[in-house]
Amino acid sequence: MSRMVYADHAATTPLSPTAKQAMADFWDKRFGNPSSLYYLGQEAKDDLEAARAEIAQCLNARPSEVLFTSGGTESDNWALKGAAELRRGQGKHIITTSIEHHAILHSAQWLEKQGLEVTYLPVDAGGRVSPSDVEKAIRPDTILISVMAANNEIGTIEPIEEIGAIVKAHNVLFHVDAVQAVGHIPVDVKAWNVDMLSFSGHKFYGPAGIGGLFLRHGLRLPPLVHGGGQEWGLRSGTEPVVLAVGMAAALKESVEEMAVESKRLSALRDRVLDGLSDIPSSRVTGDRECRLPGTASLTFEGIEGEALLLHLDAKGIQASSGSACSSASLDPSHVLLSIGLPHEVAHGSLRLSLGRGTTEQDVDYILEIVPQVVSYLRELSPVWDKKAQKPIWRS
């Protein structure tokens, strides 16, 4: 293996040195339980609340509106199931989109089994949901609308502020899965008019195993975990102070560097998209303009995504064929099917998500190796017309 290029930052990011340094003293010197009354515990409590305040500032929220969870999946589950329980007497209808993360879709499907009704809104070819479609779908018994801020597979950014204004006018709860957005694009819970917003530390160079749920002041979900009454009685269990401190440091750093880093990553991303779209029978997936700075996603007809990933890995390029949470599945991505791609095309997908460590030389290597691997796999493919440079099923 000549070199290693990590291009799967949408799946997880390395811990930043800033976050690591912020956490350093907490493993053996500042390890107190924040619920304890003695000095070491109260010191931990102060550190926990300082981290909460720092995160809140990055989201334009109040500190009391930030609840710590184990990550984005827990936050999404809590938001949907908690809101359904909270508004049980007011209605039974939920609206979401067809391209949400499985943490949302599977929670919605579970709620359907409990008797609720869910509308899964379609998206356009770029993966964007129409605000007018959201408004048309609202019924008198609609209690919750959940729309992701940015898609984890194709990188499309949704019109959250417009949707938020519509939802507020209809007095419906609004949840946003912002796991891919927080730390990468500006997030403002007030401007977006959100009631709940999910995020996860390991997506923006913080530690894994911690995330959060923004819960608007005055809104109190049913407790997620019962026990000692931590997190205002909403999520019991000793708070992981060291992880909270690391997540706060990572988020603050990401927000401070966002303008410069977004510009740099967008340029690298566009180089990848422009270069790889020259491959015959390839196409860019996701909206070209409303797109996360570091996410480049494409499909290549005539090959399987799994084979592509394995051969790229052998060449030192670590990438994804969609969401890391479902990468073991042989089914085509529900996101790619939702934007109108046929099954046989959706199978040949590639997501290259760039990050803080990605260099121009890394992109050069990607642009050198990916076409070689695609060409090699097509030579082996029984469904590829080598002379016509197109799939046999289209011949």
Side-chain angles (χ1 to χ4, degrees):
M1 186 181 298
S2 57
R3 64 179 297 162
M4 195 275 278
V5 174
Y6 181 71
D8 204 17
H9 290 81
T12 195
T13 54
L15 185 67
S16 81
T18 299
K20 184 177 181 180
Q21 183 60 43
M23 298 164 68
D25 284 346
F26 288 84
W27 300 113
D28 56 0
K29 296 178 183 178
R30 300 168 72 91
F31 57 85
N33 185 324
S35 296
S36 301
L37 295 178
Y38 46 76
Y39 175 75
L40 196 62
Q42 290 306 295
E43 182 182 51
K45 180 70 172 177
D46 291 343
D47 292 327
L48 181 71
E49 295 312 316
R52 195 191 308 274
E54 203 160 73
I55 292 168
Q57 185 174 9
C58 292
L59 304 177
N60 194 23
R62 304 182 188 185
S64 60
E65 295 175 319
V66 174
L67 302 171
F68 292 115
T69 68
S70 65
T73 293
E74 180 186 324
S75 297
D76 285 346
N77 273 257
W78 191 9
L80 263 66
K81 296 172 183 177
E85 177 66 21
L86 182 67
R87 294 287 177 96
R88 176 186 292 184
Q90 300 177 38
K92 61 176 184 177
H93 180 232
I94 293 173
I95 299 170
T96 189
T97 81
S98 60
I99 64 165
E100 298 295 311
H101 189 277
H102 281 118
I104 293 294
L105 295 179
H106 290 170
S107 293
Q109 290 160 10
W110 183 86
L111 287 171
E112 286 182 291
K113 294 178 181 178
Q114 314 310 308
L116 278 77
E117 298 176 12
V118 181
T119 296
Y120 300 92
L121 294 175
V123 295
D124 64 20
R128 285 185 37 107
V129 65
S130 166
S132 63
D133 284 350
V134 174
E135 186 159 33
K136 291 174 186 175
I138 297 174
R139 308 184 332 201
D141 63 342
T142 301
I143 56 175
L144 172 69
I145 297 174
S146 180
V147 179
M148 65 190 343
N151 186 264
N152 49 297
E153 294 190 33
I154 58 177
T156 296
I157 298 172
E158 301 297 338
I160 295 299
E161 190 165 348
E162 295 174 59
I163 294 171
I166 291 170
V167 177
K168 183 180 180 182
H170 287 268
N171 194 30
V172 175
L173 292 178
F174 186 31
H175 168 253
V176 171
D177 177 346
V179 168
Q180 292 292 333
V182 170
H184 301 286
I185 61 174
V187 172
D188 187 328
V189 295
K190 292 181 181 177
W192 288 4
N193 284 304
V194 299
D195 297 295
M196 299 171 287
L197 180 139
S198 306
F199 57 95
S200 186
H202 75 107
K203 301 295 188 178
F204 47 80
Y205 307 94
I210 187 167
L213 179 69
F214 161 79
L215 186 64
R216 179 180 53 77
H217 179 73
L219 184 63
R220 187 174 177 86
L221 293 181
L224 176 67
V225 179
H226 295 89
Q230 290 87 349
E231 298 297 286
W232 297 285
L234 297 179
R235 186 185 184 272
S236 293
T238 301
E239 300 95 337
V241 179
V242 61
L243 299 181
V245 168
M247 180 168 66
L251 182 55
K252 180 182 178 183
E253 181 181 38
S254 294
V255 169
E256 289 174 347
E257 297 181 356
M258 188 180 294
V260 173
E261 182 66 358
S262 292
K263 184 177 180 180
R264 186 186 76 87
L265 283 178
S266 295
L268 294 178
R269 175 205 65 198
D270 290 344
R271 277 194 63 205
V272 171
L273 291 174
D274 293 341
L276 297 185
S277 59
D278 287 339
I279 297 173
S281 295
S282 67
R283 72 178 78 184
V284 173
T285 54
D287 193 286
R288 282 301 298 258
E289 300 300 323
C290 299
R291 192 183 196 94
L292 289 172
T295 302
S297 54
L298 306 95
T299 58
F300 305 100
E301 296 186 45
I303 63 174
E304 289 288 328
E306 290 79 8
L308 177 59
L309 294 185
L310 290 172
H311 281 79
L312 288 178
D313 185 39
K315 295 287 188 179
I317 298 174
Q318 299 172 7
S320 171
S321 188
S323 170
C325 300
S326 59
S327 59
S329 172
L330 295 178
D331 294 328
S333 157
H334 70 283
V335 175
L336 299 182
L337 296 180
S338 293
I339 62 175
L341 299 187
H343 278 68
E344 59 270 17
V345 175
H347 269 298
S349 66
L350 176 66
R351 180 186 71 182
L352 295 154
S353 45
L354 316 179
R356 208 173 277 171
T358 308
T359 65
E360 292 281 358
Q361 291 72 32
D362 291 335
V363 171
D364 291 341
Y365 189 64
I366 289 170
L367 295 178
E368 173 191 351
I369 297 300
V370 173
Q372 293 177 12
V373 172
V374 170
S375 178
Y376 172 74
L377 291 174
R378 283 175 172 171
E379 284 294 320
L380 301 178
S381 174
V383 299
W384 184 253
D385 187 328
K386 299 170 182 62
K387 291 184 178 180
Q389 285 289 289
K390 64 180 181 180
I392 290 173
W393 67 74
R394 286 198 345 221
S395 298

mmCIF file of all heavy atoms in Angstrom, residues 47-87:
data_model
loop_
_atom_site.group_PDB
_atom_site.id
_atom_site.type_symbol
_atom_site.label_atom_id
_atom_site.label_comp_id
_atom_site.label_asym_id
_atom_site.label_seq_id
_atom_site.Cartn_x
_atom_site.Cartn_y
_atom_site.Cartn_z
ATOM 1 N N ASP A 47 -17.351 21.922 35.539
ATOM 2 C CA ASP A 47 -16.789 21.606 34.223
ATOM 3 C C ASP A 47 -17.878 21.154 33.258
ATOM 4 O O ASP A 47 -17.877 21.521 32.075
ATOM 5 C CB ASP A 47 -15.730 20.507 34.354
ATOM 6 C CG ASP A 47 -14.484 20.977 35.089
ATOM 7 O OD1 ASP A 47 -14.126 22.167 34.948
ATOM 8 O OD2 ASP A 47 -13.871 20.156 35.807
ATOM 9 N N LEU A 48 -18.814 20.356 33.753
ATOM 10 C CA LEU A 48 -19.909 19.881 32.920
ATOM 11 C C LEU A 48 -20.763 21.040 32.432
ATOM 12 O O LEU A 48 -21.111 21.129 31.245
ATOM 13 C CB LEU A 48 -20.769 18.899 33.715
ATOM 14 C CG LEU A 48 -21.957 18.285 32.969
ATOM 15 C CD1 LEU A 48 -21.485 17.291 31.928
ATOM 16 C CD2 LEU A 48 -22.920 17.602 33.952
ATOM 17 N N GLU A 49 -21.078 21.963 33.343
ATOM 18 C CA GLU A 49 -21.932 23.086 32.959
ATOM 19 C C GLU A 49 -21.204 24.069 32.046
ATOM 20 O O GLU A 49 -21.825 24.711 31.190
ATOM 21 C CB GLU A 49 -22.461 23.785 34.209
ATOM 22 C CG GLU A 49 -23.385 22.906 35.054
ATOM 23 C CD GLU A 49 -24.457 22.215 34.228
ATOM 24 O OE1 GLU A 49 -25.065 22.870 33.360
ATOM 25 O OE2 GLU A 49 -24.668 21.003 34.435
ATOM 26 N N ALA A 50 -19.889 24.192 32.212
ATOM 27 C CA ALA A 50 -19.110 25.040 31.308
ATOM 28 C C ALA A 50 -19.141 24.461 29.894
ATOM 29 O O ALA A 50 -19.274 25.199 28.903
ATOM 30 C CB ALA A 50 -17.673 25.172 31.802
ATOM 31 N N ALA A 51 -19.035 23.131 29.792
ATOM 32 C CA ALA A 51 -19.116 22.476 28.489
ATOM 33 C C ALA A 51 -20.499 22.658 27.875
ATOM 34 O O ALA A 51 -20.638 22.947 26.680
ATOM 35 C CB ALA A 51 -18.798 20.986 28.637
ATOM 36 N N ARG A 52 -21.529 22.527 28.691
ATOM 37 C CA ARG A 52 -22.896 22.711 28.210
ATOM 38 C C ARG A 52 -23.098 24.126 27.671
ATOM 39 O O ARG A 52 -23.703 24.328 26.614
ATOM 40 C CB ARG A 52 -23.882 22.431 29.348
ATOM 41 C CG ARG A 52 -25.321 22.226 28.886
ATOM 42 C CD ARG A 52 -26.289 22.214 30.061
ATOM 43 N NE ARG A 52 -25.935 21.293 31.121
ATOM 44 C CZ ARG A 52 -26.274 19.999 31.143
ATOM 45 N NH1 ARG A 52 -26.956 19.489 30.146
ATOM 46 N NH2 ARG A 52 -25.926 19.235 32.171
ATOM 47 N N ALA A 53 -22.570 25.110 28.388
ATOM 48 C CA ALA A 53 -22.712 26.504 27.973
ATOM 49 C C ALA A 53 -21.969 26.777 26.667
ATOM 50 O O ALA A 53 -22.442 27.544 25.811
ATOM 51 C CB ALA A 53 -22.196 27.430 29.077
ATOM 52 N N GLU A 54 -20.814 26.162 26.512
ATOM 53 C CA GLU A 54 -20.027 26.353 25.291
ATOM 54 C C GLU A 54 -20.747 25.779 24.080
ATOM 55 O O GLU A 54 -20.794 26.386 23.010
ATOM 56 C CB GLU A 54 -18.661 25.687 25.463
ATOM 57 C CG GLU A 54 -17.591 26.249 24.550
ATOM 58 C CD GLU A 54 -16.202 25.924 25.076
ATOM 59 O OE1 GLU A 54 -15.797 24.745 24.979
ATOM 60 O OE2 GLU A 54 -15.526 26.840 25.588
ATOM 61 N N ILE A 55 -21.326 24.597 24.247
ATOM 62 C CA ILE A 55 -22.093 23.973 23.166
ATOM 63 C C ILE A 55 -23.322 24.813 22.834
ATOM 64 O O ILE A 55 -23.643 25.046 21.665
ATOM 65 C CB ILE A 55 -22.489 22.544 23.561
ATOM 66 C CG1 ILE A 55 -21.240 21.653 23.627
ATOM 67 C CG2 ILE A 55 -23.510 21.967 22.583
ATOM 68 C CD1 ILE A 55 -21.477 20.316 24.291
ATOM 69 N N ALA A 56 -24.008 25.276 23.856
ATOM 70 C CA ALA A 56 -25.195 26.103 23.644
ATOM 71 C C ALA A 56 -24.866 27.356 22.846
ATOM 72 O O ALA A 56 -25.623 27.747 21.940
ATOM 73 C CB ALA A 56 -25.810 26.479 24.991
ATOM 74 N N GLN A 57 -23.759 27.991 23.170
ATOM 75 C CA GLN A 57 -23.359 29.205 22.452
ATOM 76 C C GLN A 57 -23.152 28.916 20.965
ATOM 77 O O GLN A 57 -23.518 29.733 20.111
ATOM 78 C CB GLN A 57 -22.086 29.779 23.061
ATOM 79 C CG GLN A 57 -21.662 31.110 22.452
ATOM 80 C CD GLN A 57 -20.475 31.715 23.176
ATOM 81 O OE1 GLN A 57 -19.850 31.085 24.023
ATOM 82 N NE2 GLN A 57 -20.160 32.954 22.852
ATOM 83 N N CYS A 58 -22.582 27.751 20.651
ATOM 84 C CA CYS A 58 -22.342 27.382 19.256
ATOM 85 C C CYS A 58 -23.645 27.145 18.487
ATOM 86 O O CYS A 58 -23.674 27.247 17.255
ATOM 87 C CB CYS A 58 -21.474 26.133 19.184
ATOM 88 S SG CYS A 58 -19.771 26.363 19.761
ATOM 89 N N LEU A 59 -24.716 26.825 19.188
ATOM 90 C CA LEU A 59 -26.008 26.552 18.559
ATOM 91 C C LEU A 59 -26.972 27.719 18.684
ATOM 92 O O LEU A 59 -28.097 27.646 18.186
ATOM 93 C CB LEU A 59 -26.646 25.312 19.197
ATOM 94 C CG LEU A 59 -25.832 24.012 19.177
ATOM 95 C CD1 LEU A 59 -26.587 22.918 19.925
ATOM 96 C CD2 LEU A 59 -25.529 23.584 17.758
ATOM 97 N N ASN A 60 -26.554 28.794 19.357
ATOM 98 C CA ASN A 60 -27.415 29.930 19.688
ATOM 99 C C ASN A 60 -28.589 29.485 20.559
ATOM 100 O O ASN A 60 -29.741 29.834 20.332
ATOM 101 C CB ASN A 60 -27.931 30.653 18.436
ATOM 102 C CG ASN A 60 -28.528 32.015 18.761
ATOM 103 O OD1 ASN A 60 -28.213 32.617 19.795
ATOM 104 N ND2 ASN A 60 -29.398 32.501 17.893
ATOM 105 N N ALA A 61 -28.249 28.687 21.569
ATOM 106 C CA ALA A 61 -29.256 28.158 22.497
ATOM 107 C C ALA A 61 -28.919 28.572 23.922
ATOM 108 O O ALA A 61 -27.857 29.133 24.199
ATOM 109 C CB ALA A 61 -29.288 26.634 22.396
ATOM 110 N N ARG A 62 -29.841 28.306 24.835
ATOM 111 C CA ARG A 62 -29.554 28.471 26.260
ATOM 112 C C ARG A 62 -28.858 27.216 26.776
ATOM 113 O O ARG A 62 -29.156 26.108 26.301
ATOM 114 C CB ARG A 62 -30.861 28.660 27.042
ATOM 115 C CG ARG A 62 -31.754 29.795 26.591
ATOM 116 C CD ARG A 62 -32.963 29.850 27.514
ATOM 117 N NE ARG A 62 -33.979 30.785 27.041
ATOM 118 C CZ ARG A 62 -35.083 31.084 27.712
ATOM 119 N NH1 ARG A 62 -35.296 30.513 28.899
ATOM 120 N NH2 ARG A 62 -35.960 31.930 27.226
ATOM 121 N N PRO A 63 -27.982 27.352 27.764
ATOM 122 C CA PRO A 63 -27.364 26.144 28.331
ATOM 123 C C PRO A 63 -28.381 25.133 28.834
ATOM 124 O O PRO A 63 -28.193 23.921 28.670
ATOM 125 C CB PRO A 63 -26.508 26.703 29.472
ATOM 126 C CG PRO A 63 -26.161 28.085 29.043
ATOM 127 C CD PRO A 63 -27.383 28.589 28.324
ATOM 128 N N SER A 64 -29.474 25.608 29.411
ATOM 129 C CA SER A 64 -30.485 24.699 29.954
ATOM 130 C C SER A 64 -31.250 23.954 28.858
ATOM 131 O O SER A 64 -32.034 23.043 29.150
ATOM 132 C CB SER A 64 -31.482 25.473 30.823
ATOM 133 O OG SER A 64 -32.135 26.471 30.057
ATOM 134 N N GLU A 65 -31.024 24.326 27.607
ATOM 135 C CA GLU A 65 -31.703 23.668 26.487
ATOM 136 C C GLU A 65 -30.853 22.552 25.866
ATOM 137 O O GLU A 65 -31.290 21.915 24.905
ATOM 138 C CB GLU A 65 -32.051 24.697 25.415
ATOM 139 C CG GLU A 65 -33.070 25.736 25.866
ATOM 140 C CD GLU A 65 -33.305 26.825 24.839
ATOM 141 O OE1 GLU A 65 -32.317 27.293 24.220
ATOM 142 O OE2 GLU A 65 -34.478 27.221 24.637
ATOM 143 N N VAL A 66 -29.652 22.327 26.398
ATOM 144 C CA VAL A 66 -28.743 21.307 25.865
ATOM 145 C C VAL A 66 -28.709 20.117 26.815
ATOM 146 O O VAL A 66 -28.309 20.247 27.970
ATOM 147 C CB VAL A 66 -27.327 21.869 25.662
ATOM 148 C CG1 VAL A 66 -26.364 20.762 25.247
ATOM 149 C CG2 VAL A 66 -27.335 22.986 24.627
ATOM 150 N N LEU A 67 -29.138 18.961 26.321
ATOM 151 C CA LEU A 67 -29.133 17.728 27.102
ATOM 152 C C LEU A 67 -28.110 16.774 26.498
ATOM 153 O O LEU A 67 -28.062 16.580 25.283
ATOM 154 C CB LEU A 67 -30.515 17.074 27.078
ATOM 155 C CG LEU A 67 -31.670 17.934 27.614
ATOM 156 C CD1 LEU A 67 -32.997 17.256 27.331
ATOM 157 C CD2 LEU A 67 -31.509 18.167 29.102
ATOM 158 N N PHE A 68 -27.314 16.156 27.353
ATOM 159 C CA PHE A 68 -26.302 15.219 26.872
ATOM 160 C C PHE A 68 -26.908 13.829 26.686
ATOM 161 O O PHE A 68 -27.683 13.349 27.513
ATOM 162 C CB PHE A 68 -25.124 15.153 27.847
ATOM 163 C CG PHE A 68 -24.324 16.426 27.902
ATOM 164 C CD1 PHE A 68 -24.267 17.181 29.054
ATOM 165 C CD2 PHE A 68 -23.630 16.870 26.782
ATOM 166 C CE1 PHE A 68 -23.535 18.355 29.117
ATOM 167 C CE2 PHE A 68 -22.894 18.039 26.824
ATOM 168 C CZ PHE A 68 -22.838 18.793 27.988
ATOM 169 N N THR A 69 -26.547 13.192 25.571
ATOM 170 C CA THR A 69 -26.975 11.827 25.269
ATOM 171 C C THR A 69 -25.745 11.028 24.837
ATOM 172 O O THR A 69 -24.632 11.545 24.842
ATOM 173 C CB THR A 69 -28.017 11.809 24.137
ATOM 174 O OG1 THR A 69 -27.388 12.207 22.898
ATOM 175 C CG2 THR A 69 -29.192 12.738 24.434
ATOM 176 N N SER A 70 -25.962 9.794 24.417
ATOM 177 C CA SER A 70 -24.841 8.969 23.973
ATOM 178 C C SER A 70 -24.488 9.201 22.517
ATOM 179 O O SER A 70 -23.479 8.693 22.033
ATOM 180 C CB SER A 70 -25.168 7.486 24.180
ATOM 181 O OG SER A 70 -26.256 7.096 23.358
ATOM 182 N N GLY A 71 -25.315 9.948 21.790
ATOM 183 C CA GLY A 71 -25.027 10.197 20.384
ATOM 184 C C GLY A 71 -26.274 10.528 19.596
ATOM 185 O O GLY A 71 -27.374 10.656 20.142
ATOM 186 N N GLY A 72 -26.103 10.641 18.285
ATOM 187 C CA GLY A 72 -27.203 11.056 17.419
ATOM 188 C C GLY A 72 -28.362 10.082 17.385
ATOM 189 O O GLY A 72 -29.526 10.492 17.350
ATOM 190 N N THR A 73 -28.076 8.792 17.380
ATOM 191 C CA THR A 73 -29.147 7.805 17.307
ATOM 192 C C THR A 73 -30.057 7.891 18.523
ATOM 193 O O THR A 73 -31.291 7.866 18.404
ATOM 194 C CB THR A 73 -28.562 6.389 17.172
ATOM 195 O OG1 THR A 73 -27.904 6.281 15.900
ATOM 196 C CG2 THR A 73 -29.645 5.327 17.266
ATOM 197 N N GLU A 74 -29.462 7.999 19.706
ATOM 198 C CA GLU A 74 -30.275 8.133 20.918
ATOM 199 C C GLU A 74 -31.090 9.423 20.879
ATOM 200 O O GLU A 74 -32.279 9.427 21.220
ATOM 201 C CB GLU A 74 -29.385 8.116 22.157
ATOM 202 C CG GLU A 74 -30.175 8.250 23.449
ATOM 203 C CD GLU A 74 -29.293 8.388 24.682
ATOM 204 O OE1 GLU A 74 -28.219 7.759 24.722
ATOM 205 O OE2 GLU A 74 -29.696 9.140 25.594
ATOM 206 N N SER A 75 -30.472 10.504 20.461
ATOM 207 C CA SER A 75 -31.176 11.788 20.407
ATOM 208 C C SER A 75 -32.353 11.729 19.449
ATOM 209 O O SER A 75 -33.443 12.243 19.744
ATOM 210 C CB SER A 75 -30.204 12.900 19.985
ATOM 211 O OG SER A 75 -29.175 13.063 20.932
ATOM 212 N N ASP A 76 -32.160 11.108 18.279
ATOM 213 C CA ASP A 76 -33.245 10.986 17.309
ATOM 214 C C ASP A 76 -34.385 10.142 17.867
ATOM 215 O O ASP A 76 -35.564 10.495 17.741
ATOM 216 C CB ASP A 76 -32.724 10.345 16.015
ATOM 217 C CG ASP A 76 -31.901 11.297 15.170
ATOM 218 O OD1 ASP A 76 -31.941 12.518 15.422
ATOM 219 O OD2 ASP A 76 -31.211 10.827 14.244
ATOM 220 N N ASN A 77 -34.048 9.015 18.476
ATOM 221 C CA ASN A 77 -35.070 8.150 19.065
ATOM 222 C C ASN A 77 -35.861 8.882 20.142
ATOM 223 O O ASN A 77 -37.097 8.796 20.201
ATOM 224 C CB ASN A 77 -34.418 6.897 19.659
ATOM 225 C CG ASN A 77 -34.240 5.780 18.664
ATOM 226 O OD1 ASN A 77 -34.995 4.819 18.660
ATOM 227 N ND2 ASN A 77 -33.247 5.904 17.799
ATOM 228 N N TRP A 78 -35.152 9.589 20.990
ATOM 229 C CA TRP A 78 -35.799 10.305 22.084
ATOM 230 C C TRP A 78 -36.725 11.387 21.552
ATOM 231 O O TRP A 78 -37.860 11.558 22.036
ATOM 232 C CB TRP A 78 -34.725 10.908 22.996
ATOM 233 C CG TRP A 78 -35.236 11.448 24.293
ATOM 234 C CD1 TRP A 78 -36.482 11.324 24.827
ATOM 235 C CD2 TRP A 78 -34.483 12.219 25.237
ATOM 236 N NE1 TRP A 78 -36.566 11.959 26.041
ATOM 237 C CE2 TRP A 78 -35.349 12.515 26.317
ATOM 238 C CE3 TRP A 78 -33.164 12.673 25.267
ATOM 239 C CZ2 TRP A 78 -34.932 13.270 27.413
ATOM 240 C CZ3 TRP A 78 -32.749 13.409 26.357
ATOM 241 C CH2 TRP A 78 -33.614 13.708 27.425
ATOM 242 N N ALA A 79 -36.255 12.117 20.548
ATOM 243 C CA ALA A 79 -37.061 13.207 19.999
ATOM 244 C C ALA A 79 -38.374 12.690 19.421
ATOM 245 O O ALA A 79 -39.459 13.210 19.725
ATOM 246 C CB ALA A 79 -36.270 13.958 18.936
ATOM 247 N N LEU A 80 -38.308 11.660 18.600
ATOM 248 C CA LEU A 80 -39.520 11.164 17.957
ATOM 249 C C LEU A 80 -40.452 10.460 18.938
ATOM 250 O O LEU A 80 -41.647 10.769 19.014
ATOM 251 C CB LEU A 80 -39.157 10.220 16.805
ATOM 252 C CG LEU A 80 -39.142 10.885 15.416
ATOM 253 C CD1 LEU A 80 -38.014 11.909 15.333
ATOM 254 C CD2 LEU A 80 -39.011 9.861 14.310
ATOM 255 N N LYS A 81 -39.909 9.540 19.707
ATOM 256 C CA LYS A 81 -40.758 8.771 20.618
ATOM 257 C C LYS A 81 -41.264 9.635 21.769
ATOM 258 O O LYS A 81 -42.409 9.490 22.212
ATOM 259 C CB LYS A 81 -39.978 7.563 21.131
ATOM 260 C CG LYS A 81 -39.619 6.589 20.014
ATOM 261 C CD LYS A 81 -38.670 5.485 20.476
ATOM 262 C CE LYS A 81 -38.272 4.585 19.317
ATOM 263 N NZ LYS A 81 -37.297 3.537 19.707
ATOM 264 N N GLY A 82 -40.392 10.542 22.233
ATOM 265 C CA GLY A 82 -40.800 11.432 23.309
ATOM 266 C C GLY A 82 -41.889 12.396 22.874
ATOM 267 O O GLY A 82 -42.854 12.652 23.603
ATOM 268 N N ALA A 83 -41.739 12.963 21.666
ATOM 269 C CA ALA A 83 -42.747 13.896 21.159
ATOM 270 C C ALA A 83 -44.077 13.193 20.936
ATOM 271 O O ALA A 83 -45.150 13.759 21.205
ATOM 272 C CB ALA A 83 -42.261 14.531 19.852
ATOM 273 N N ALA A 84 -44.021 11.961 20.449
ATOM 274 C CA ALA A 84 -45.259 11.209 20.226
ATOM 275 C C ALA A 84 -45.990 10.965 21.531
ATOM 276 O O ALA A 84 -47.227 11.073 21.609
ATOM 277 C CB ALA A 84 -44.941 9.882 19.540
ATOM 278 N N GLU A 85 -45.230 10.655 22.581
ATOM 279 C CA GLU A 85 -45.837 10.441 23.893
ATOM 280 C C GLU A 85 -46.368 11.749 24.475
ATOM 281 O O GLU A 85 -47.468 11.791 25.034
ATOM 282 C CB GLU A 85 -44.804 9.815 24.837
ATOM 283 C CG GLU A 85 -45.290 9.609 26.264
ATOM 284 C CD GLU A 85 -46.402 8.598 26.381
ATOM 285 O OE1 GLU A 85 -46.553 7.752 25.465
ATOM 286 O OE2 GLU A 85 -47.140 8.651 27.391
ATOM 287 N N LEU A 86 -45.579 12.820 24.309
ATOM 288 C CA LEU A 86 -45.964 14.119 24.854
ATOM 289 C C LEU A 86 -47.257 14.634 24.232
ATOM 290 O O LEU A 86 -48.106 15.201 24.923
ATOM 291 C CB LEU A 86 -44.831 15.128 24.613
ATOM 292 C CG LEU A 86 -45.025 16.529 25.162
ATOM 293 C CD1 LEU A 86 -45.040 16.516 26.690
ATOM 294 C CD2 LEU A 86 -43.930 17.459 24.648
ATOM 295 N N ARG A 87 -47.410 14.449 22.933
ATOM 296 C CA ARG A 87 -48.571 14.988 22.219
ATOM 297 C C ARG A 87 -49.623 13.917 21.902
ATOM 298 O O ARG A 87 -50.424 14.101 20.994
ATOM 299 C CB ARG A 87 -48.092 15.654 20.917
ATOM 300 C CG ARG A 87 -47.217 16.895 21.130
ATOM 301 C CD ARG A 87 -48.047 18.064 21.612
ATOM 302 N NE ARG A 87 -47.256 19.246 21.891
ATOM 303 C CZ ARG A 87 -47.064 20.257 21.045
ATOM 304 N NH1 ARG A 87 -47.584 20.199 19.827
ATOM 305 N NH2 ARG A 87 -46.357 21.311 21.390
#
